Amino acid sequence: MSQHVLIPLSLAAVSLVSTPCLATSDSTKDENLSRGLQIMKELEARDTGWEAAVVDMQMTLRNASGEESERQLTVKLLEVEGDGDKTLTQFKSPRDIRNTAFLSYSHAVVPDDQWIYMPAIKRVKRINSANKSGPFMGSELAYEDISSFELEKYSYRYIGEEPADGVDCYVVELTPLYEYTGYSTMTYWVDKSRFVPIKIEYYDRSKSLLKTQHFAGYRQYNNQFWRPAESQIHNHQTDRATFLQWSEFDFDVELSDAHFSTVGLTRSR
């Protein structure tokens, strides 16, 4: 997830997460905006310099009735200096979607470039910018969630400090600045020591809670980069869920732009 693929309050402060503040001075607002930005800058800074990575992933989809289906994927990532990351996702199973491949070029301000290769029709299809809020391959991930985290995509507001899943966290509200998003805001719980997301709440365009994502089992690679072993996403409006499990990340790989071309999508295995 590039930090993708992408992190104790008093009772009075807790209320800031769910209810609007009735009276906040301009100086306090400015301070909260600045502090929110600084926290997310630190999150981004600690995840810079990994260059390239490959990881196998299992995706489990659970519907509202509790029925599950599994998918096996391989994800390749390329860090791009001065722009967003490149991601190539290749489906290995089940048989009906095997060799489906998804390519994403993340950008900071302009719309991301995304393509998907569907072996059933044997062609590469470009994802329209207006469809980025749609579900990715039937999961609770949206196409915009596959994009890497870029500071310029959001405005930030510091809310406070609150534990999440037993971890002391900063709480920061993100407001997307790009077009065609399906979210009004996102609330990040960021680990105060490792600066990685522990929980994210996503709010839809009507500002209702849409889904919650949790990350767990973080491991450190190359004495610097933290990656989760698993994540779960629960859609509160449909009661569907997606579970992600990552194997060990391999950062000792040599990947270049040539591995992330639309031409190569049809040959992805």
Side-chain angles (χ1 to χ4, degrees), residues 3-252:
Q3 285 287 123
H4 50 218
V5 263
L6 193 195
I7 342 178
L9 280 174
S10 66
L11 291 178
V14 170
S15 69
L16 290 176
V17 178
S18 56
T19 60
C21 184
L22 297 179
T24 305
S25 68
D26 289 341
S27 61
T28 300
K29 288 180 181 178
D30 291 343
E31 181 180 342
N32 289 341
L33 293 173
S34 176
R35 189 169 184 185
L37 174 59
Q38 289 304 314
I39 290 169
M40 300 310 288
K41 274 186 175 181
E42 183 66 19
L43 181 149
E44 184 185 57
R46 295 199 185 193
D47 194 51
T48 298
W50 46 269
E51 297 183 354
V54 175
V55 64
D56 291 326
M57 183 174 75
Q58 176 176 294
M59 175 187 289
T60 303
L61 310 182
R62 178 185 295 171
N63 65 21
S65 300
E67 299 170 320
E68 295 186 350
S69 60
E70 292 187 356
R71 298 172 175 187
Q72 302 294 329
L73 309 81
T74 295
V75 183
K76 298 178 180 178
L77 303 117
L78 182 69
E79 190 176 35
V80 179
E81 186 175 354
D83 202 356
D85 303 337
K86 295 184 178 182
T87 306
L88 176 60
T89 304
Q90 302 161 295
F91 285 82
K92 304 300 183 182
S93 68
R95 186 172 183 176
D96 61 336
I97 60 170
R98 180 173 177 169
N99 295 330
T100 297
F102 174 72
L103 178 64
S104 178
Y105 294 177
S106 298
H107 304 298
V109 179
V110 299
D112 296 340
D113 294 306
Q114 295 180 328
W115 302 265
I116 189 165
Y117 170 67
M118 309 292 289
I121 60 175
K122 293 183 171 57
R123 73 182 183 92
V124 175
K125 179 182 178 182
R126 188 181 182 95
I127 305 298
N128 189 293
S129 296
N131 296 330
K132 299 291 177 64
S133 61
F136 174 66
M137 298 296 290
S139 73
E140 298 314 304
L141 289 167
Y143 281 96
E144 63 184 299
D145 298 335
I146 310 299
S147 177
S148 65
F149 174 78
E150 306 298 328
L151 277 172
E152 296 86 351
K153 284 186 174 183
Y154 310 95
S155 63
Y156 306 93
R157 182 171 69 94
Y158 172 74
I159 294 178
E161 299 177 12
E162 181 183 51
D165 301 333
V167 179
D168 289 336
C169 294
Y170 298 112
V171 186
V172 181
E173 181 186 79
L174 281 64
T175 300
L177 299 177
Y178 54 90
E179 289 187 293
Y180 307 119
T181 177
Y183 308 126
S184 57
T185 60
M186 295 174 287
T187 303
Y188 271 61
W189 277 255
V190 178
D191 185 333
K192 293 171 67 175
S193 61
R194 295 174 295 184
F195 282 86
V196 294
I198 300 298
K199 183 175 80 169
I200 304 174
E201 288 183 344
Y202 301 82
Y203 291 81
D204 65 19
R205 299 286 292 182
S206 65
K207 301 184 180 180
S208 297
L209 179 60
L210 174 62
K211 61 189 180 184
T212 301
Q213 183 172 14
H214 296 263
F215 300 90
Y218 274 99
R219 292 183 55 189
Q220 191 176 41
Y221 295 87
N222 296 351
N223 296 315
Q224 182 176 357
F225 308 114
W226 292 96
R227 292 293 182 271
E230 59 187 60
S231 177
Q232 57 177 300
I233 308 155
H234 177 232
N235 189 312
H236 300 280
Q237 299 181 7
T238 65
D239 204 27
R240 294 195 298 260
T242 296
F243 302 87
L244 308 175
Q245 290 183 300
W246 291 274
S247 63
E248 185 168 336
F249 284 77
D250 183 2
F251 289 95
D252 296 321

